[in-house]
């Protein structure tokens, strides 16, 4: 995320959408640092989850330039279909939410 990419308007737009998704879906769209540092989710599951989050952001932001252009109905479908099934064990959230 460093270097020239950080200065890109589209990169900043994607980061804004990421923050909004984290707010809208706090139990599913989890900040990378929190997921890796404050949960007991296995690393391979974390990596898969992070990749899916990145794919969702890319898909929602494709050829878009403002928050008003984001299809939030599509976001609901993508998040519920791609992220909810990654947590087959829910104990991680229940035991670690106080640390997030």
């Amino acid at each position: 995320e460093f270097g020239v990419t950080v200065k890109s308007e589209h990169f900043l737009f994607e980061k804004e959408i990421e923050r909004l998704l984290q707010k809208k879906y706090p139990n599913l769209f989890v900040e990378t640092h929190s997921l890796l540092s404050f949960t007991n989710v296995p690393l391979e599951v974390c990596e898969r989850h992070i990749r899916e989050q990145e794919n969702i952001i890319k898909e929602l932001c494709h050829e878009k330039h403002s928050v008003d252009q984001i299809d939030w109905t599509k976001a609901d479908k993508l998040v519920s279909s791609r992220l909810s099934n990654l947590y087959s064990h829910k104990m991680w959230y229940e035991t670690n939410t106080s640390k997030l």
Side-chain angles (χ1 to χ4, degrees), residues 9-85:
E9 283 187 35
H10 196 72
F11 173 81
L12 296 174
F13 172 59
E14 287 180 352
K15 294 309 281 181
E16 180 181 7
I17 298 305
E18 179 180 22
R19 284 188 295 277
L20 291 171
L21 289 167
Q22 289 167 351
K23 241 183 181 175
K24 187 171 172 77
Y25 311 100
N27 297 341
L28 297 174
F29 215 95
V30 183
E31 179 189 31
T32 300
H33 174 73
S34 296
L35 186 59
L36 293 171
S37 301
F38 304 117
T39 72
N40 59 7
V41 176
L43 182 60
E44 71 179 40
V45 176
C46 289
E47 290 172 340
R48 195 169 56 229
H49 191 84
I50 292 164
R51 264 194 316 277
E52 282 301 331
Q53 289 184 164
E54 290 170 352
N55 291 338
I56 290 169
I57 293 167
K58 296 280 185 215
E59 193 169 332
L60 290 173
C61 293
H62 182 68
E63 296 184 358
K64 308 281 190 298
H65 305 287
S66 75
V67 174
D68 296 336
Q69 295 177 307
I70 297 299
D71 181 346
W72 292 106
T73 302
K74 181 178 182 178
D76 290 338
K77 290 176 185 173
L78 291 173
V79 170
S80 65
S81 68
R82 294 187 187 173
L83 298 181
S84 60
N85 63 353

